[in-house]
Amino acid sequence: MASYEMNFDGLVGPTHHYAGLSFGNVASMGNRGKVARPKEAALGGLKKMKAVRDLGDKVSDDEKKPIDDAIADGDVVWEAPPFQDTCGTRQGCHTAQPGAVTAIPGVVFSGSLDGHIRAYATDTGNVIWDVDTAGEIDTVNGVAGRGGSLNGPGATLAGGMLYVSSGYGLLNFMPGNVLLAFGVE
């Protein structure tokens, strides 16, 4: 059986994007009222990615270049502003993308409070895949399933599958109760 090492990280304190507004997070609550510095948080994350990558070289030079370039100058390589036309009249819907992203070579997956999971090309930032997970879902066990907002942990990739937890009812966003699995056909 193959095994994989994974590194999960969250930056807390004055660089954390909630700046003390994340309910129940001890480190975040301890920094309540401090200024958020998301650019510093992103650069800190990139530096850690580089440090972890340098520990074991399983990444090609082409895949390293965007990380090295971003760390070197701190410039935005591309950005993906939230879509503004996805909510309509859905209660609890918002187009923000506050959750963690998941990255693989060539693709970044990002969930949104509007229930969409999107894949962005890492070289251009263009959306290359988009699924609306909000709404009624047929489940394998026959239990009534409903997707909602995506927030918190990012999507998980394992064994050629992309797993997404859909439903985030905290703070009046769209609740749900499904774990979705996507595979390549």
Side-chain angles (χ1 to χ4, degrees):
M1 176 168 75
S3 64
Y4 303 91
E5 179 179 340
M6 295 183 188
N7 181 51
F8 298 94
D9 187 26
L11 298 174
V12 297
T15 60
H16 188 267
H17 71 287
Y18 286 123
L21 300 177
S22 179
F23 176 77
N25 180 314
V26 174
S28 187
M29 296 301 285
N31 288 288
R32 183 180 307 159
K34 294 185 179 175
V35 175
R37 295 182 178 88
K39 183 175 181 178
E40 288 179 31
L43 290 173
L46 287 168
K47 286 179 183 175
K48 180 164 186 203
M49 285 170 52
K50 182 180 184 309
V52 170
R53 182 206 64 208
D54 289 347
L55 291 174
D57 200 0
K58 296 182 180 177
V59 180
S60 73
D61 287 339
D62 288 341
E63 293 165 340
K64 292 177 189 177
K65 187 169 179 7
I67 297 170
D68 293 338
D69 290 348
I71 292 170
D73 59 26
D75 289 339
V76 173
V77 177
W78 57 263
E79 61 185 346
F83 287 75
Q84 297 301 319
D85 61 354
T86 55
C87 287
T89 60
R90 291 191 288 183
Q91 187 175 11
C93 184
H94 194 282
T95 58
Q97 299 167 284
V101 298
T102 300
I104 59 174
V107 181
V108 173
F109 295 94
S110 177
S112 176
L113 293 175
D114 65 2
H116 285 251
I117 179 75
R118 296 181 180 94
Y120 297 87
T122 56
D123 57 346
T124 64
N126 292 334
V127 175
I128 57 176
W129 182 73
D130 182 350
V131 174
D132 186 356
T133 70
E136 300 297 322
I137 304 285
D138 291 329
T139 62
V140 295
N141 62 0
V143 173
R146 180 165 192 83
S149 295
L150 305 181
N151 193 6
T156 299
L157 288 159
M161 300 292 290
L162 176 74
Y163 298 94
V164 177
S165 175
S166 181
Y168 185 81
L170 189 65
L171 304 174
N172 296 318
F173 293 115
M174 298 184 299
N177 65 339
V178 293
L179 175 63
L180 303 171
F182 299 95
V184 178
E185 293 181 347

